[in-house]
């Protein structure tokens, strides 16, 4: 018993410097610029959110927050760049819904998303919204369902790519309603919206954030939002449940992650600071104006959220036979 007590005391003494060093690192963080690596190109919603939040983080930390865009591979190129960085809090990743959709749908992944990335904070969620071209006859969800059923094989819907949020939202909608539309995959949301506005493809599940100006100007017509409730920026647009199709919930979301092995004290501090930045009055107002729901979750909440998202899209992928190389 005495030997066990001595061994335990020795172990406690051995670990004490490590615990002190981690605590000191969290207290001192940051003492140099922080790199915020965005896994999508400039100009999109993910980049915009990072650039709205980063100045406030810089103010909180007293250090520059440098945005670096590493686009490609549905977020995988940027993610691998982050994994090659030190787990010290100075390289963080702003990722989107593909963080969960990739492991759910891809046949092969270069890393284990959950095990190799520390969850820090779910920043925002932006609902997808069902839109149609201005010259397309349906003006409600029920009218769209009737129109598709009356014109079998003749109605196309656009997406920003196979396995993208607009693609998954459309598949979820067709499974809930039993209608059949033909998928036309584009290389990004911008080209898809351009063709919808031109009437080339009549139907699209757009991201509310990127499509809002075109909806407000009447260049696309909104039928229903895939959010849990009506959007504050488009309060006249019903939810799918209100439109008669419950269960169609689809958000594009942005969250911050760090390489696995980042000290827990540092994870907690960075997450708390992100929540503080998101709750700044000006920051929050700008994000809400984009159609976003501002979250600012804890690491535990984000980790559970992404696991739930992976399970959800894995099930839909099997049901709709969606698989990505």
């Amino acid at each position: 018993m005495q030997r066990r007590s001595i061994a335990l005391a020795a172990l406690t003494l051995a670990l004490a410097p490590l615990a002190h060093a981690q605590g000191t690192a969290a207290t001192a963080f940051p003492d140099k610029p922080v790199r915020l690596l965005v896994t999508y190109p400039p100009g999109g919603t993910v980049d915009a959110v990072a650039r709205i939040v980063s100045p406030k983080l810089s103010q909180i930390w007293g250090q520059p927050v440098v945005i670096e865009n590493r686009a490609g591979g549905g977020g995988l190129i940027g993610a691998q760049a982050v994994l090659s960085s030190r787990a010290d809090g100075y390289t963080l990743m702003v990722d989107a819904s593909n963080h969960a959709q990739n492991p759910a749908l891809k046949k092969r992944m270069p890393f284990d998303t959950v095990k190799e990335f520390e969850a820090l904070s779910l920043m925002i969620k932006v609902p997808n919204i069902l839109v149609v071209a201005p010259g397309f006859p349906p003006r409600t969800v029920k009218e769209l369902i009737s129109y598709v059923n009356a014109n079998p094989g003749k109605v196309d819907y656009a997406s920003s790519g196979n396995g993208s949020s607009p693609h998954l939202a459309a598949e979820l909608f067709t499974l809930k309603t039993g209608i059949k539309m033909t998928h036309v995959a584009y290389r990004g949301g911008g080209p898809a919206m351009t063709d919808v506005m031109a009437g080339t493809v009549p139907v699209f599940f757009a991201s509310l954030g990127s499509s809002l100006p075109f909806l407000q100007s009447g260049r696309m017509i909104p039928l229903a939002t895939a959010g849990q409730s009506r959007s504050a920026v488009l309060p006249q647009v019903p939810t799918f449940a209100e439109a008669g199709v419950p269960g169609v919930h689809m958000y594009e979301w942005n969250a911050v992650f760090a390489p696995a092995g980042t000290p827990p004290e540092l994870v907690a501090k960075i997450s708390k600071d992100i929540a503080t930045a998101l709750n700044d009055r000006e920051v929050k107002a700008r994000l809400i104006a984009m159609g976003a729901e501002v979250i600012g979750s804890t690491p535990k909440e984000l980790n559970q959220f992404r696991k739930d998202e992976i399970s959800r899209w894995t099930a839909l992928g099997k049901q709709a036979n969606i698989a990505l190389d």
Side-chain angles (χ1 to χ4, degrees):
M1 188 69 177
Q2 185 176 8
R3 289 182 179 179
R4 182 181 296 178
S5 299
I6 293 172
L8 181 60
L11 178 61
T12 301
L13 288 172
L15 293 176
L18 177 59
H20 175 72
Q22 288 183 342
T24 302
T27 303
F29 178 88
D31 58 8
K32 61 182 179 181
V34 177
R35 185 170 62 142
L36 203 58
L37 198 150
V38 179
T39 59
Y40 289 82
T45 301
V46 186
D47 179 70
V49 171
R51 293 181 189 277
I52 289 171
V53 176
S54 60
K56 190 63 183 179
L57 281 175
S58 179
Q59 181 183 335
I60 292 169
W61 288 337
Q63 292 288 342
V65 176
V66 181
I67 302 289
E68 182 179 333
N69 297 88
R70 288 284 187 94
L76 293 181
I77 290 176
Q80 288 180 293
V82 172
L83 286 181
S84 67
S85 305
R86 294 181 62 185
D88 58 4
Y90 288 94
T91 299
L92 307 175
M93 177 176 73
V94 180
D95 207 0
S97 311
N98 277 353
H99 184 85
Q101 291 160 1
N102 283 331
L105 302 174
K106 281 188 173 293
K107 296 176 182 177
R108 294 174 295 276
M109 281 287 289
F111 50 78
D112 185 312
T113 301
V114 174
K115 290 182 179 179
E116 298 188 50
F117 284 99
E118 299 283 356
L120 297 182
S121 180
L122 175 62
M123 293 195 294
I124 60 119
K125 296 196 298 182
V126 181
N128 284 89
I129 187 163
L130 173 59
V131 305
V132 296
F136 192 55
R139 286 295 179 269
T140 67
V141 172
K142 287 185 178 179
E143 288 178 5
L144 174 62
I145 294 169
S146 297
Y147 186 93
V148 174
N149 285 333
N151 295 273
K154 296 181 180 180
V155 179
D156 298 337
Y157 75 88
S159 84
S160 52
N162 289 322
S164 63
S165 292
H167 181 202
L168 296 178
E171 290 293 334
L172 182 60
F173 174 63
T174 57
L175 285 170
K176 293 289 184 180
T177 58
I179 64 174
K180 302 294 182 183
M181 296 188 291
T182 303
H183 180 208
V184 180
Y186 287 79
R187 298 185 68 178
M193 281 195 293
T194 297
D195 271 11
V196 171
M197 287 185 282
T200 305
V201 180
V203 181
F204 182 42
F205 272 82
S207 168
L208 179 56
S210 57
S211 65
L212 186 58
F214 307 113
L215 296 170
Q216 291 172 330
S217 66
R219 297 180 67 187
M220 294 189 297
I221 309 300
L223 302 190
T225 172
Q228 298 279 358
S229 58
R230 293 195 181 201
S231 169
V233 292
L234 288 176
Q236 76 280 13
V237 180
T239 65
F240 274 95
E242 291 172 329
V245 187
V248 180
H249 302 304
M250 184 73 203
Y251 289 87
E252 296 187 13
W253 48 268
N254 298 168
V256 186
F257 300 90
T262 302
E265 294 85 354
L266 206 48
V267 167
K269 173 179 171 50
I270 295 171
S271 178
K272 183 179 178 180
D273 291 343
I274 292 169
T276 300
L278 289 168
N279 280 306
D280 175 77
R281 182 178 298 178
E282 182 180 351
V283 169
K284 195 168 188 176
R286 291 179 66 187
L287 294 172
I288 290 173
M290 292 172 54
E293 298 176 15
V294 182
I295 310 296
S297 76
T298 65
K300 183 178 179 180
E301 289 167 341
L302 173 55
N303 193 42
Q304 186 60 54
F305 175 80
R306 69 173 169 181
K307 288 179 179 178
D308 292 343
E309 285 282 280
I310 291 171
S311 297
R312 182 187 185 199
W313 301 127
T314 298
L316 180 66
K318 291 177 180 178
Q319 192 173 3
N321 196 28
I322 303 171
L324 305 177
D325 292 331

